[in-house]
């Protein structure tokens, strides 16, 4: 999944503020927006949550190469 730089910037800011709790916070925000009927906001915050998880992940992507 390719995400915009703004998504990663927001994800980074969440991590700086909330650390390991950042993914949960982003998913909660996405759920709140879904419950309000804001499908665009819901999708945006899901993208942010996934970016947070990606940044915090310790797994190496299968397509990466070690130099």
């Amino acid at each position: 999944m390719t995400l915009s730089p703004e998504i990663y910037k927001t994800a980074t800011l969440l991590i700086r503020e909330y650390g390991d709790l950042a993914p949960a916070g982003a998913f909660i925000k996405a759920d709140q927006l879904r419950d309000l009927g804001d499908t665009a906001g819901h999708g945006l915050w899901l993208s942010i949550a996934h970016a947070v998880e990606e940044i915090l992940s310790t797994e190496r992507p299968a397509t990466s190469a070690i130099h």
Side-chain angles (χ1 to χ4, degrees):
M1 175 192 304
T2 303
L3 301 175
S4 72
E6 292 84 9
I7 298 287
Y8 283 106
K9 182 176 182 179
T10 303
T12 301
L13 291 172
L14 283 173
I15 293 167
R16 284 185 191 158
E17 184 71 24
Y18 301 106
D20 290 339
L21 296 176
F27 281 116
I28 289 169
K29 182 65 175 178
D31 289 347
Q32 290 171 338
L33 291 170
R34 181 201 58 218
D35 293 346
L36 292 172
D38 184 350
T39 55
H42 175 251
L44 176 65
W45 277 92
L46 281 179
S47 295
I48 294 167
H50 292 299
V52 168
E53 288 181 325
E54 182 181 326
I55 292 167
L56 292 176
S57 174
T58 59
E59 293 181 26
R60 183 173 54 91
T63 58
S64 67
I66 298 175
H67 297 274

